[in-house]
Amino acid sequence: MYHEFFGLKEAPFRITPDTGFFFSGGERGAILQGLLYAIRQGEGIIKVTGEVGSGKTMLCWMLEQHLPDDIETVYLANPNVRPEDVLPSILAELELARLPDASRAEHLRTLNDYLLARHDAGKQVVMFVEEAQGMTLDTLEEIRLLSNLETEREKLLQIVLFGQPELDVKLADPRIRQLRERITTAITLAPFTPDDIRAYLAFRLTTAGYRGPDLFDRRVVRKIAHASRGLTRRINILADKSLLAAYTDNTRTILPRHIRVALRDSAFSDEADPPKRWLLPAIAMGVMAAVLAGFYWLSKPAAAPAPLVPPKPTQTTPATTSLTNPASVTTQTSSDPFEQRVAATQAWLMRQPADTYTIQLSLLHDPSEFAAYLKEVSGLAQDQLRIFRSQAQGHPSWTVIYGSYPTRQAANRALSSLPEALRKRQPYLRTAGGIRNETRQIQQVGEQS
């Protein structure tokens, strides 16, 4: 949606691993080279651990891509595999014939013969075990026994375990201490630092075709670092949603409020921002209350906020003008209902926080179209229909928006509940801040002409 707006050729922050977007910073490049070396050496079991979303799958795919042609890979990706199914699963991956009633010993012989043949041909086989932390101790022990397949001098099967930190807890169990002692290389994927994150964001944007100035400054990166805990998947989610928020806001500058919007729209927001507000000193709360009180007395009272999930919002907009922007103060003396609604919309816009959401419904090319349009949308709450002056292809126009919602989720729910006839016109979400930017730019162009 926002790709063209930012000059991107493709999505820069997909959470599906794409080796074309592999970032070698944050020690990931050095780790990749270390793993390639350890696999080539072929001694012992390799273990790679990292938190959920730290980039283990991406690293696994990069390993396969960079291994030389004489190394063959096998995947064991089902953490629920039973011990008796480990060998059949490996044989299936290698496309080796296996009899349904064959014993474990027969399966093991088939695998050993294949590995010996590959060894004699100067080839090597490595097995990647993903989600190892979810496997039972018996399954892990079965995998450990495969490391016994060897010649007098070399291992026939190299094993690489990928898992979350819980794998280390499982390996501490005395019952599988033999597996733990076979691990000769242990690597932990550390979270990205703020500097890593800034370089990572710039790298992925550039790879996706972006050629402008930095979109994420240090202040914004710090917020992403705190919310994401340095985990690449979370960074991608927040970066993607913040770009969408900026696009909705009609700005090419990522601001802290866009990160807040992205965080509120993310499933991990509660984890990333633990509830510590009660620790604020009483004096800070007093200052905040004083500031809010000052704004209250300087402005005319606003209407009550719309419900969180209103298909038809019921907030009533008074036809008054906020004093927070003196340049926009006008006196409503017009008896024209259309002009009254435009003025009321301007007052509403000036009162709203920048991240208040609304739904853009339609574009009118002439005020005379509004009466007929009201009949088309008679099923909507009329006091929630607002109009602001805009431009279309260089000509004056009027944009119709609907509703007021504190979160993107609430706005999306209202959007999906609109009548089908309106949804066919592809309405979309806007923010009060974005509309203010648009009207300000139109005003500046008018003053210059």
Side-chain angles (χ1 to χ4, degrees):
M1 181 182 295
Y2 57 75
H3 301 167
E4 184 176 351
F5 184 77
F6 287 103
L8 302 169
K9 298 177 181 177
E10 57 183 313
F13 297 111
R14 288 190 295 262
I15 62 173
T16 303
D18 182 344
T19 54
F21 283 88
F22 177 73
F23 175 64
S24 60
E27 299 186 349
R28 295 308 191 264
I31 289 173
L32 175 62
Q33 294 303 316
L35 287 171
L36 290 169
Y37 175 80
I39 290 172
R40 174 55 84 184
Q41 292 300 107
E43 293 185 3
I45 296 174
I46 300 169
K47 175 176 68 74
V48 180
T49 55
E51 283 288 354
V52 177
S54 60
K56 297 185 295 296
T57 301
M58 172 73 90
L59 192 61
C60 185
W61 290 13
M62 288 295 294
L63 271 173
E64 182 182 25
Q65 192 174 94
H66 284 75
L67 286 172
D69 294 338
D70 61 348
I71 298 182
E72 184 177 355
T73 56
V74 181
Y75 280 91
L76 194 60
N78 179 12
N80 298 316
V81 63
R82 298 177 300 177
E84 59 269 25
D85 292 331
V86 169
L87 277 170
S89 297
I90 295 172
L91 295 180
E93 279 281 312
L94 294 171
E95 299 181 352
L96 298 176
R98 59 197 189 284
L99 299 174
D101 55 349
S103 66
R104 180 186 181 280
E106 290 172 320
H107 283 150
L108 189 59
R109 189 179 307 112
T110 300
L111 177 60
N112 190 64
D113 290 345
Y114 177 83
L115 295 176
L116 281 172
R118 302 302 288 169
H119 179 267
D120 292 342
K123 305 289 185 179
Q124 186 179 352
V125 180
V126 58
M127 181 172 72
F128 296 136
V129 181
E130 296 195 77
E131 303 294 342
Q133 81 286 342
M135 294 179 170
T136 65
L137 296 184
D138 290 338
T139 298
L140 289 172
E141 176 62 14
E142 180 71 8
I143 291 172
R144 194 272 303 177
L145 292 172
L146 296 179
S147 67
N148 291 331
L149 300 175
E150 56 190 359
T151 65
E152 290 182 358
R153 300 182 59 183
E154 296 175 324
K155 297 287 183 183
L156 291 175
L157 181 66
Q158 179 69 58
I159 299 172
V160 183
L161 302 176
F162 290 89
Q164 296 166 20
E166 292 83 355
L167 176 60
D168 290 327
V169 177
K170 189 160 286 188
L171 290 173
D173 193 304
R175 289 173 290 177
I176 56 170
R177 63 183 182 278
Q178 292 187 67
L179 171 60
R180 184 175 64 251
E181 291 171 0
R182 296 285 182 95
I183 296 173
T184 57
T185 302
I187 293 173
T188 300
L189 298 183
F192 282 171
T193 66
D195 286 341
D196 294 334
I197 293 173
R198 192 175 190 197
Y200 174 81
L201 293 170
F203 165 77
R204 295 204 53 136
L205 283 167
T206 301
T207 304
Y210 180 72
R211 294 297 180 267
D214 284 350
L215 291 177
F216 298 87
D217 64 20
R218 293 190 181 278
R219 177 182 52 164
V220 168
V221 167
R222 283 196 298 270
K223 288 188 174 295
I224 292 178
H226 171 71
S228 68
R229 298 180 180 175
L231 302 176
T232 53
R233 184 179 301 161
R234 292 185 173 193
I235 294 168
N236 286 350
I237 291 172
L238 289 172
D240 176 71
K241 291 182 181 296
S242 63
L243 286 175
L244 182 58
Y247 164 74
T248 304
D249 220 4
N250 198 37
T251 177
R252 289 179 175 81
T253 302
I254 308 300
L255 301 172
R257 69 168 179 268
H258 298 138
I259 307 301
R260 291 195 295 271
V261 170
L263 186 57
R264 285 202 303 266
D265 203 22
S266 304
F268 54 84
S269 58
D270 290 338
E271 297 179 34
D273 191 15
K276 297 180 180 178
R277 294 182 178 86
W278 60 272
L279 294 175
L280 287 172
I283 186 170
M285 295 299 292
V287 170
M288 184 180 295
V291 170
L292 291 175
F295 275 108
Y296 174 83
W297 290 111
L298 285 174
S299 303
K300 293 187 178 182
L308 281 179
V309 192
K312 297 179 182 179
T314 57
Q315 178 184 355
T316 302
T317 305
T320 57
T321 303
S322 170
L323 298 182
T324 55
N325 187 351
S328 68
V329 174
T330 60
T331 303
Q332 289 199 29
T333 58
S334 174
S335 59
D336 183 349
F338 182 84
E339 289 299 328
Q340 287 180 358
R341 196 177 293 255
V342 171
T345 299
Q346 180 68 14
W348 175 83
L349 280 172
M350 290 300 103
R351 286 199 306 272
Q352 302 307 307
D355 57 356
T356 295
Y357 284 88
T358 187
I359 303 171
Q360 178 159 324
L361 293 179
S362 188
L363 199 67
L364 304 178
H365 298 288
D366 191 274
S368 62
E369 300 173 8
F370 186 61
Y373 185 79
L374 281 178
K375 295 179 181 179
E376 292 182 34
V377 295
S378 58
L380 300 181
Q382 298 294 294
D383 61 344
Q384 290 297 302
L385 284 169
R386 302 184 175 93
I387 308 170
F388 65 90
R389 292 181 175 85
S390 54
Q391 283 190 352
Q393 298 180 344
H395 299 288
S397 61
W398 289 261
T399 301
V400 181
I401 55 177
Y402 179 72
S404 174
Y405 312 98
T407 65
R408 179 182 291 274
Q409 295 96 320
N412 274 323
R413 288 193 292 267
L415 180 63
S416 63
S417 67
L418 288 173
E420 184 178 359
L422 290 179
R423 282 187 279 117
K424 285 182 178 179
R425 298 182 182 180
Q426 298 183 326
Y428 58 94
L429 302 187
R430 299 288 303 272
T431 63
I435 295 173
R436 285 201 293 265
N437 286 340
E438 179 181 333
T439 55
R440 190 179 301 116
Q441 290 169 8
I442 292 173
Q443 182 180 8
Q444 290 172 352
V445 170
E447 291 172 352
Q448 293 170 3
S449 60

